[in-house]
DNA sequence: AGACGCAACTAAATCGATCTAGCGGCGAAG
DNA sequence: CTTCGCCGCTAGATCGATTTAGTTGCGTCT
């Protein structure tokens, strides 16, 4: 009896599909199963308040193109409240052409402070506009996106694979030098420069990501602007020993590098560990600055100095963009350097 | 021009709702906007193959209760293929009473190896049965679940807040001593016992979780079974300094404690850091074992010994349960201790 | 008195797939 | 020569909300 009780994972389960022959079920799962019969529909509300379905719809949606008497309006509202009417999203979606759902595509390995606050902001703002956020984890082929699209026709699909933008768009539209990717990359490099470092390396993850190129470009532009040497890109691979080897190679190939700016906190942590394993002192022999302020940076010794980005506003903005709303008047909290012990 | 280009987050955007007056949009977002007009429907396929809509549905769904001639069947399939017909999930959901979507509720702070492999298994198995997994992040009130329910009427909602089960169910159904929570908790304690520890503490997170009680109960039962003292529960709070204080208090209150079993790797990491800050040697003065093998355990020094659980099978099982399918014949990979340096 | 406009509604089409009830034709049994 | 049954297929109802195209009744203007 493997994994007894797993069935109870279920928080809620819809009545089985009518065409149950398709999924020949041998066992009915437990959980709170809700029969479809209980649903209160527009028809019920219409009947209860003695008007037509159309009128009910007009009232409940506050349709400005219709004139409904105050008395009727009140009667309908009352009935809806008493019956506990809730519009059926699926039916509405069929009619409107899209469900009130926004899907966020997140690739693996992008968790962190940024994604959390981004999701929070996105979720909040969508909720404020009567929409729901659902996240699709995995690696995202056009095919997998199509499946989601076909399954629920969401109002929009937002991709998080490249948290800000692809480099191309960025260049076209100002690069986000104010409060986007470019600004944050610059912040990181600038902090190193302020601490007197003149030759820095950029530590990249071993997984392929289009964002790496963009980051490198922005770092390079910032370095140039500050009069530093061009940043040296290098990869910090995953097994602990391989990471150490990478750092060793970097230091022999580029002896003048005194600081490392990491693509994210994960890579920074690996760099810190590698430095420790090589017997290097941090920040004496090598300074390290992270990016995105995960919890773990505070726990390692020496504690990681990093860039903290509050993406709540980014999330809200993304939500409004997805809904086709006005996106002005939403000032993001500026990113800041969390100074700890590694720089 | 704040956050220029954020609009390009959009991977796909549905045509705006017809009732656009509701969300008065000042600006149309860019992105790949797909007009609803392009959709190929059952009607199109029916017309193309010269049969009725019903017949097409029967053929494409392989309805065993209908007899359709091989010739017709082929003609319909051909037409569907040529036109690129894809069933409209929303329409289907309206008819069937539920969409082919399963929602997974995940509370914050539960990321890790377990949740990743769980999601992977769940996603895979659902995909194999023509369903889509979507994740809802946040703290989950019944209200928020209702909103999701009303928005897309998913086939099922699975809650991950308590990754295995609530304690009550667990006790009722054998406790998961074979390959569930109880077994994994036991594995952790047993490892400490094997290394000669006779009095252990259980490090808990500062956030409220019903799972903590269950874990404690299982740990206690295992300890008793192995002839150890009853495990001492204590909380490791979040700011680094507070964590150190907690460990200090633990050691003065219970000087005989020589090892800590952590609720998860996060708590284990905090414990390790606290020990370091107090000048304790690990595992000499205090041994620490984690739970769930996140990447960070390998990066800290001393590297964290932990319990690795491959939840793929758990995910697959949850998927089948959600779909009301047979759940037999799916043997999980047994959990194992990853021995590193902290025990 | 007739025309016109407006407020306040309603009937019915619509979105796209599923599924029930039933129809015509053909072969076999009586 | 019926009659029954089955194969192969179709018309139309259905799911629940939105929205268009009216309709009714009343007041006003000429």
């Amino acid at each position: 009896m493997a994994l007894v009780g797993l069935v109870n994972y279920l928080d809620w389960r819809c009545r089985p599909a009518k065409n149950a022959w398709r999924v020949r079920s041998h066992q009915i799962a437990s959980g709170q199963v809700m029969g479809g019969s209980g649903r209160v529909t527009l028809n019920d509300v219409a009947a209860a308040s003695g008007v037509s379905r159309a009128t009910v719809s007009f009232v409940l949606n506050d349709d400005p193109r219709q004139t409904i008497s105050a008395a009727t309006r009140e009667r309908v509202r009352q009935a809806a409240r008493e019956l506990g009417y809730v519009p059926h999203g699926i039916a509405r979606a069929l009619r409107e052409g899209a469900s009130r759902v926004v899907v966020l595509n997140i690739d693996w390995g992008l968790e962190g402070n940024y994604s959390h606050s981004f999701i929070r902001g996105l979720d909040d703002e969508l909720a404020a506009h009567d929409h729901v956020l659902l996240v699709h984890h995995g690696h995202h082929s056009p095919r997998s996106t199509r499946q989601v699209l076909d399954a629920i026709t969401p109002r929009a699909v937002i991709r998080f694979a490249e948290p800000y933008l692809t480099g191309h768009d960025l260049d076209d539209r100002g690069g986000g030098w104010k409060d986007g990717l470019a600004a944050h990359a610059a912040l990181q490099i600038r902090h190193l420069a302020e601490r007197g470092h003149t030759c820095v390396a950029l530590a990249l993850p071993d997984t392929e990501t289009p964002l790496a190129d963009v980051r490198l470009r922005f770092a390079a532009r910032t370095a140039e602007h500050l009069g530093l040497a061009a940043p040296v890109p290098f990869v910090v691979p995953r097994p602990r020993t391989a990471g150490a080897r990478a750092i060793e190679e970097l230091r022999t190939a580029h002896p003048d590098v005194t600081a490392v700016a990491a693509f994210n906190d994960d890579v920074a942590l690996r760099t810190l560990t590698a430095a420790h394993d090589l017997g290097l002192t941090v920040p004496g022999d090598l300074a390290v600055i992270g990016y995105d302020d995960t919890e773990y940076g505070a726990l390692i010794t020496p504690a990681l100095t990093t860039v903290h980005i509050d993406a709540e506003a980014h999330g809200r903005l993304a939500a409004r963009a997805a809904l086709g709303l006005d996106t002005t008047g939403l000032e993001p909290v500026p990113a800041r350097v969390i100074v700890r012990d590694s720089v």
Side-chain angles (χ1 to χ4, degrees), chain A:
Chain A
M1 105 173 159
L3 277 168
V4 281
L6 245 179
V7 152
N8 291 33
Y9 270 89
L10 290 182
D11 210 20
W12 186 89
R13 178 150 177 279
C14 185
R15 70 161 183 267
K18 276 188 190 169
N19 56 348
W21 51 263
R22 196 195 315 265
V23 276
R24 58 239 168 284
S25 65
H26 296 188
Q27 175 197 343
I28 296 301
S30 75
Q32 183 184 347
V33 177
M34 169 162 162
S37 49
R39 182 165 266 290
V40 176
T41 74
L42 258 198
N43 267 322
D44 299 331
V45 178
S49 48
V51 295
S52 74
R53 205 162 59 237
T55 305
V56 177
S57 178
F58 294 144
V59 169
L60 296 183
N61 289 318
D62 276 324
D63 191 329
R65 295 164 305 185
Q66 304 288 334
T67 56
I68 310 281
S69 72
T72 304
R73 212 187 291 275
E74 191 40 49
R75 227 165 355 113
V76 170
R77 289 238 173 76
Q78 180 70 16
R81 217 174 307 123
E82 279 174 3
L83 294 174
Y85 169 76
V86 183
H88 190 300
I90 292 291
R92 175 179 271 178
L94 180 60
R95 189 70 235 268
E96 290 192 346
S99 60
R100 301 213 179 167
V101 167
V102 170
V103 171
L104 177 64
N105 278 345
I106 302 198
D107 285 5
W108 291 120
L110 259 16
E111 291 83 7
N113 165 67
Y114 185 90
S115 72
H116 276 205
S117 51
F118 184 86
I119 290 178
R120 204 134 32 202
L122 189 52
D123 198 21
D124 273 11
E125 189 70 18
L126 287 177
H129 291 95
D130 203 18
H131 281 247
V132 169
L133 173 68
L134 291 174
V135 179
H136 188 227
H137 291 275
H139 23 250
H140 296 278
S141 58
R143 230 186 85 269
S144 73
T145 295
R146 269 297 299 265
Q147 285 181 354
V148 175
L149 245 39
D150 294 331
I152 55 161
T153 326
R155 181 78 24 122
V157 176
I158 300 176
R159 74 183 124 86
F160 191 77
E162 302 101 49
Y164 303 86
L165 284 176
T166 63
H168 184 65
D169 292 331
L170 261 183
D171 281 342
D172 290 350
R173 328 190 85 219
W177 287 100
K178 181 160 180 293
D179 39 26
L181 180 57
H184 303 153
L187 193 62
Q188 194 186 31
I189 301 296
R190 202 174 315 126
H191 182 77
L192 293 179
E194 279 166 8
R195 299 296 164 119
H197 298 279
T198 55
C199 181
V200 307
L202 187 67
L204 301 170
D206 48 358
T207 54
E208 198 69 26
T209 160
L211 253 194
D213 285 344
V214 201
R215 276 291 291 281
L216 181 56
R217 199 154 68 241
F218 288 139
R221 233 184 283 179
T222 306
E224 190 187 347
H225 185 252
L226 296 173
L228 312 186
V232 181
F234 75 108
V235 171
V236 189
R238 193 159 302 240
R240 188 163 171 164
T241 50
R245 214 175 315 124
I247 299 289
E248 201 164 22
E249 284 167 12
L250 169 76
R251 285 174 51 90
T252 59
H254 302 271
D256 41 350
V257 165
T258 58
V260 171
F263 180 79
N264 58 28
D265 270 19
D266 277 22
V267 175
L269 254 27
R270 279 186 244 157
T271 305
L272 237 35
T273 300
H276 171 272
D277 292 352
L278 293 171
L280 301 175
T281 66
V282 173
D285 295 330
L286 192 69
V288 178
I289 184 170
Y291 189 91
D292 190 22
D293 192 22
T294 61
E295 189 194 341
Y296 310 99
L299 293 178
I300 205 161
T301 304
L304 181 68
T305 293
T306 190
V307 175
H308 180 97
I309 304 158
D310 183 355
E312 239 237 58
H314 296 205
R316 301 198 107 91
L317 232 21
R320 298 208 189 159
L323 263 29
L325 296 172
D326 178 25
T327 53
T328 58
L330 212 47
E331 278 309 309
V333 178
R336 63 186 196 280
V337 175
I338 307 285
V339 182
R340 289 199 275 248
D341 308 325
S342 69
V343 179

